[in-house]
Amino acid sequence: MDSLEVFLPDSQFEQAFSSLIDHIFITYVVATRAACILFSSDSTNSLINTIQISATQPVISMFLNSAGRYDPRLTANIDMGCHAFVMDQTNAIFFLDSYTITHDRATIRHPNKTLVIVQDPTTEQDPDFKDHVRKHPAVQDIPRLLLVEPRGDEIDLYTHWFKGTSEEAAELLFLDTYSTRNESFLWEADLFPDKTMNMERKMYRLASFRLIPHFIFTPIYDEPWIALYKNQTMRIDGMGGLVMVEFCGKYNCTWDLQIDQAGEWGVIYDNGTGDGIIGTVAERRADVGVGSLLTWQTTHKFLAFTATIRKVGICGFAPRPRLLPPWQTVILAFEPEVWLYIGISVVCCIATYALMAGFETHVKTKGVGWNAMNVIAVFLFQGAGILYRTLPECILSIALIAFTINVGNIFVGKNASLRTFPLFESPIDTDADIANRDIIWTQTHEAWVHSLLLSQNPIVQKVVANFRAHTVPELLVLANQGHVAFGVSKLNYGHYMIGTFITAQNVHLYRLMKEDLYFEYEVSMTTKTWPLIDRLSDLILRIVASGIRAYQEPIVAKRYMDYGVQIKIFHSQDKEEVLPHAMEVEDLLLAYMVLGVGLSLGVVAFAGEYLFHWHMGRKQSWAVKAK
């Protein structure tokens, strides 16, 4: 490219140039909160100093420090709303080199950046400058690029093609010529044409992994395609995948799939590296990520979020309450506290009888063991000899009999009522149940608890501590055992994302919790500088508003999921039917247990007495022989 003729702009040229920049901002940059004019201490471009912008947005002027990787002050200005930049060629390459890190460290996201680069007419131009700008990777994130090239009493205006292949996107496009004499355009062309409506099959990188029912990709041959994976044409399906298909169908782009199946949703470390979907986008190995990504606060620091795709309820698929054996109904008639009070009452009665017997000298009494047996006999509705001794004992015995009749009748009635209907263990229905009963719940990735990590609620903290991540084969083994809970994501129209480890053979072991563990919002995530995020958000909102997802969801579910398992999950909270049946040995198990304990204690007592009397007899015989 030939170098331009060097000339010194006069005051008329400088005034016309300032009017041009002012016209650009008034006409094309009205939505920007602020404009940044970047100066350089090494610049000789006097045109930058003449810029006077009369638009309503404020203008921030700063000298760009190009000593390091980036200028933190520019990041601070971006956070204050500066999203349109004017600079000369001395700052342009450094600005583009630091464009990614400058915006990655900013908090405010604005995808439609405007960049105006003014070449210095007073120095000999670098013939490769335009090539450096148009081929720079950063300009592929800046569709609103304008190169201002003063030439004599005219100013030529250029932009890059941006669309199509990487070679086509880097081509310069001549827009118009501005005359500084009459301050008018030669062609009255649009200086910032919309380059995003038809991307001419421009390829963007899409990060995801095979996640039923959200993202599924399968090879295709000799068919129209919009996605590639390792140079193989692919068909994309799934609830999130269909959004990406529709996006490229509308804007005529293509996807280069970046799949990290092992990393799944992934993680981002403090230094900005990571794996999985979010790590791939954070490292800019992909432009967009999709696949049931939620609005994780820890991720928002590094990435940009689109509009909400859907509301997500995260629930638990917990072990089904087991039918209690009939013998346990005897114990369940009273709460543990009641059994404790009854035990204390027995002990108090025995102690009282023993105390009374200790003060009786004219009546023959028996020991503590005999009193204990009689008190227990009264509690079992059996006759007792303690009724016919002294007056205090008779009064206490009458009160004891009245008490035991009352408690016993209540117990018999309660026990009979409990046997009317089958009893089950208490269900696991809330996060408090998981925390209080120390239930382990699991899934394939720690992303299932990302939304709970910052909670200060002790119950939620316990739920997070009880989470375990396992591989799919390990989860299949656990699912067949039926002892742990599994995380499940509720779709919006009656289906569930849970995993292939829940099968027709083990789904009956589990029951869906009545309350969600938490809810979140699903989004797609992009780099902070991806220029089409507003387009994608607009499409997402239109898809959600149309209601078409109510039609897509059952189709995807029937196509890729075990629909029998889905139906059983949906009906897992239905009451389990237990038919009436004749009494079995198990119904009398507690009675036999009591009888067995009694027989055992009786035999032990008999053996003890026998050995005692045998020993005493031998001792007496030895004493006789000794005499």
Side-chain angles (χ1 to χ4, degrees):
M1 184 179 294
D2 296 334
S3 61
L4 298 175
E5 179 182 355
V6 176
F7 73 97
L8 294 175
D10 54 18
S11 59
Q12 179 183 358
F13 188 95
E14 292 177 347
Q15 182 179 358
F17 170 79
S18 180
S19 299
L20 170 63
I21 301 300
D22 188 46
H23 169 79
I24 290 173
F25 274 83
I26 292 176
T27 307
Y28 300 101
V29 200
V30 292
T32 301
R33 294 181 183 178
C36 268
I37 302 178
L38 304 181
F39 299 95
S40 172
S41 57
D42 299 329
S43 175
T44 60
N45 193 344
S46 61
L47 295 178
I48 293 293
N49 299 322
T50 64
I51 296 177
Q52 298 291 331
I53 299 176
S54 62
T56 56
Q57 64 264 44
V59 177
I60 301 174
S61 301
M62 65 170 290
F63 281 86
L64 196 61
N65 182 5
S66 59
R69 290 179 59 198
Y70 78 108
D71 191 338
R73 297 174 303 151
L74 182 57
T75 299
N77 288 334
I78 292 173
D79 284 336
M80 288 192 297
C82 187
H83 305 298
F85 305 93
V86 182
M87 67 195 72
D88 64 5
Q89 75 278 6
T90 56
N91 281 328
I93 300 302
F94 174 77
F95 177 84
L96 293 176
D97 288 341
S98 62
Y99 183 81
T100 296
I101 187 173
T102 300
H103 286 82
D104 280 349
R105 301 201 176 189
T107 301
I108 302 300
R109 296 141 174 86
H110 193 290
N112 295 317
K113 307 290 183 180
T114 301
L115 178 57
V116 179
I117 301 176
V118 181
Q119 297 191 69
D120 188 355
T122 62
T123 60
E124 184 176 349
Q125 300 297 314
D126 181 1
D128 298 325
F129 174 73
K130 288 182 180 178
D131 281 343
H132 292 159
V133 171
R134 69 184 182 88
K135 293 180 180 179
H136 199 286
V139 300
Q140 295 308 312
D141 282 342
I142 312 174
R144 294 170 59 84
L145 170 67
L146 186 65
L147 291 176
V148 179
E149 186 180 85
R151 178 174 53 82
D153 58 357
E154 295 179 335
I155 301 175
D156 291 336
L157 304 172
Y158 297 86
T159 189
H160 61 329
W161 185 242
F162 186 73
K163 304 179 287 186
T165 64
S166 57
E167 293 78 10
E168 294 171 345
E171 292 296 326
L172 282 181
L173 174 65
F174 174 75
L175 295 172
D176 207 338
T177 297
Y178 182 78
S179 173
T180 60
R181 293 186 178 276
N182 52 19
E183 298 186 6
S184 63
F185 293 95
L186 181 61
W187 308 105
E188 295 294 337
D190 186 354
L191 301 186
F192 293 94
D194 191 345
K195 305 171 184 176
T196 60
M197 287 303 295
N198 181 2
M199 303 298 296
E200 298 184 5
R201 297 188 66 78
K202 183 182 181 71
M203 182 169 286
Y204 287 106
R205 297 162 299 174
L206 177 64
S208 191
F209 67 100
R210 181 176 176 84
L211 178 64
I212 299 174
H214 293 287
F215 194 86
I216 304 101
F217 55 98
T218 53
I220 56 175
Y221 305 91
D222 300 326
E223 296 182 34
W225 59 274
I226 63 167
L228 286 177
Y229 177 54
K230 295 182 178 179
N231 295 322
Q232 169 66 55
T233 55
M234 291 285 174
R235 177 187 291 113
I236 299 177
D237 203 351
M239 300 301 294
L242 290 173
V243 174
M244 300 299 134
V245 170
E246 184 64 24
F247 178 81
C248 274
K250 182 175 182 179
Y251 296 107
N252 193 21
C253 61
T254 56
W255 295 114
D256 181 15
L257 301 184
Q258 306 294 316
I259 305 298
D260 186 354
Q261 193 66 36
E264 295 192 350
W265 290 277
V267 64
I268 303 176
Y269 303 106
D270 292 338
N271 61 0
T273 63
D275 60 5
I277 296 178
I278 60 177
T280 301
V281 179
E283 291 184 2
R284 291 185 174 264
R285 290 181 281 119
D287 304 293
V288 186
V290 68
S292 194
L293 299 171
L294 308 185
T295 50
W296 299 311
Q297 182 177 352
T298 53
T299 306
H300 186 259
K301 174 183 176 182
F302 302 95
L303 304 177
F305 295 173
T306 64
T308 299
I309 298 176
R310 66 183 180 102
K311 182 180 178 180
V312 181
I314 303 300
C315 189
F317 200 45
R320 182 180 293 277
R322 290 167 175 78
L323 183 66
L324 293 176
W327 63 269
Q328 288 189 12
T329 58
V330 178
I331 301 174
L332 295 175
F334 291 145
E335 291 289 338
E337 294 84 357
V338 178
W339 286 114
L340 176 62
Y341 297 151
I342 292 175
I344 294 174
S345 302
V346 172
V347 173
C348 290
C349 289
I350 295 171
T352 304
Y353 276 120
L355 179 66
M356 291 178 179
F359 287 94
E360 295 292 342
T361 58
H362 61 283
V363 178
K364 184 179 180 180
T365 59
K366 296 184 178 181
V368 176
W370 185 258
N371 289 328
M373 291 298 102
N374 277 276
V375 170
I376 295 173
V378 172
F379 271 90
L380 296 177
F381 292 166
Q382 302 301 313
I386 59 175
L387 296 174
Y388 307 104
R389 290 188 254 185
T390 65
L391 178 61
E393 288 179 343
C394 289
I395 295 174
L396 177 59
S397 298
I398 292 172
L400 177 60
I401 292 172
F403 173 74
T404 54
I405 289 175
N406 188 21
V407 173
N409 287 331
I410 293 174
F411 173 79
V412 171
K414 184 66 175 179
N415 186 38
S417 66
L418 289 176
R419 289 179 178 271
T420 304
F421 301 99
L423 296 181
F424 293 85
E425 295 176 341
S426 57
I428 303 170
D429 279 333
T430 66
D431 55 354
D433 293 333
I434 289 181
N436 297 334
R437 296 167 63 176
D438 204 21
I439 301 296
I440 298 298
W441 66 294
T442 180
Q443 256 292 345
T444 59
H445 195 274
E446 291 81 359
W448 289 83
V449 293
H450 278 178
S451 299
L452 305 178
L453 294 178
L454 301 180
S455 175
Q456 300 300 315
N457 188 323
I459 292 178
V460 176
Q461 290 177 341
K462 180 62 176 176
V463 170
V464 173
N466 284 2
F467 178 81
R468 304 289 185 272
H470 292 282
T471 63
V472 173
E474 292 172 342
L475 290 173
L476 180 59
V477 173
L478 293 173
N480 290 333
Q481 296 172 353
H483 300 311
V484 301
F486 298 91
V488 56
S489 173
K490 293 181 178 179
L491 304 184
N492 296 128
Y493 300 98
H495 301 89
Y496 306 91
M497 184 194 80
I498 187 167
T500 56
F501 44 85
I502 297 297
T503 65
Q505 288 71 39
N506 58 37
V507 67
H508 66 280
L509 300 176
Y510 300 92
R511 174 180 177 273
L512 202 64
M513 292 172 53
K514 288 185 177 180
E515 295 185 11
D516 291 346
L517 295 175
Y518 64 93
F519 79 90
E520 271 282 12
Y521 295 97
E522 181 187 345
V523 296
S524 178
M525 298 184 185
T526 72
T527 62
K528 288 185 177 181
T529 58
W530 194 56
L532 302 183
I533 186 172
D534 285 346
R535 297 287 191 193
L536 181 56
S537 294
D538 177 76
L539 177 65
I540 289 172
L541 294 175
R542 291 178 183 272
I543 290 175
V544 173
S546 69
I548 195 173
R549 294 177 70 83
Y551 170 77
Q552 291 176 339
E553 183 179 304
I555 292 179
V556 173
K558 291 178 181 178
R559 186 177 296 167
Y560 298 104
M561 305 170 77
D562 189 329
Y563 215 69
V565 171
Q566 291 290 311
I567 293 175
K568 290 181 180 179
I569 294 175
F570 185 83
H571 290 285
S572 62
Q573 293 180 352
D574 296 351
K575 282 191 175 182
E576 186 174 348
E577 184 178 4
V578 180
L579 298 177
H581 61 278
M583 292 190 69
E584 301 173 351
V585 175
E586 188 179 14
D587 296 304
L588 300 175
L589 184 58
L590 183 61
Y592 281 111
M593 290 171 61
V594 174
L595 179 60
V597 172
L599 289 174
S600 301
L601 293 177
V603 171
V604 171
F606 171 76
E609 287 185 355
Y610 176 80
L611 292 174
F612 175 77
H613 288 293
W614 176 79
H615 175 71
M616 293 302 295
R618 293 194 62 182
K619 186 175 181 181
Q620 290 177 359
S621 64
W622 290 339
V624 172
K625 290 179 180 180
K627 291 179 179 181

